[in-house]
Amino acid sequence: MKTSTVVAVVVAVVVILGGFYWYYTQNPPAAPAGQAGLNGSPNQGNTGGDLTGTVQQPGADGAEGSIIGANLALGTDSNATLGKYLVAYNGMTLYTYSKDTAGHSNCTGQCAVNWPPYIAGPEDNVNQLQAGVTGKADTIVRADGTAQVTYNGMPLYFYVNDHTSGDTTGQGVGGVWYVVKP
């Protein structure tokens, strides 16, 4: 076989494998129902993506944010306007709903579509907290049977209009949604 033929075959294989890699990183397979968890599976609606190891997350102001590991349930980020606030394993901002009570979520139906609950799977350890997160993490069972992560008893949510780490567009929405302070 000619050297040019071998090179062409190798290049073709690399291009094909690269295409598969790109496709699957942009379109990860959905986790089976009830199997999603904090480990980076796309269980949080707009917050999917596999975070393996430790990643540097950018802050909302463009500065470097907190280091969040894929096995951490809660970490922190900050910006000049809000100061320090909680983020999930994937670096996305977490919110509380002032109409909730400790240990009970009142956000269901369309509310839960716009404010996806932070769901933990049975394999997740919600007590894996980044240094500086001083409150207590736990879970509650929602009406649909899923386990929602709580912080100091209050259920945690994402906001559908936050698209990247550091977004805090849910702060103050309707006068009832607020970022969570560590």
Side-chain angles (χ1 to χ4, degrees), residues 95-101 103-119 140-146 148-149 154-160 173 176-177:
Y95 298 90
T96 55
Y97 182 42
S98 64
K99 294 183 179 182
D100 283 347
T101 57
H104 181 75
S105 170
N106 289 308
C107 181
T108 60
Q110 188 60 43
C111 177
V113 171
N114 294 327
W115 299 90
Y118 186 12
I119 303 300
I140 59 169
V141 177
R142 293 178 55 82
D144 63 4
T146 58
Q148 183 173 3
V149 179
M154 296 304 291
L156 299 176
Y157 303 87
F158 297 101
Y159 184 41
V160 72
V173 169
V176 294
W177 292 97

Side-chain angles (χ1 to χ4, degrees), residues 57-83:
Q57 299 291 343
D61 57 2
E64 289 185 334
S66 302
I67 295 175
I68 304 297
N71 63 336
L72 293 178
L74 298 174
T76 63
D77 200 349
S78 65
N79 67 34
T81 305
L82 297 172

Side-chain angles (χ1 to χ4, degrees), residues 11-44:
V11 168
V13 168
V14 168
V15 168
I16 290 169
L17 290 176
F20 280 118
Y21 174 79
W22 178 85
Y23 177 81
Y24 282 107
T25 58
Q26 301 303 309
N27 304 293
Q35 299 287 321
L38 303 175
N39 60 357
S41 57
N43 64 324
Q44 307 303 334

Side-chain angles (χ1 to χ4, degrees), residues 78-94:
S78 65
N79 67 34
T81 305
L82 297 172
K84 201 178 225 187
Y85 56 88
L86 287 183
V87 294
Y89 72 92
N90 55 7
M92 297 300 291
T93 303
L94 292 167

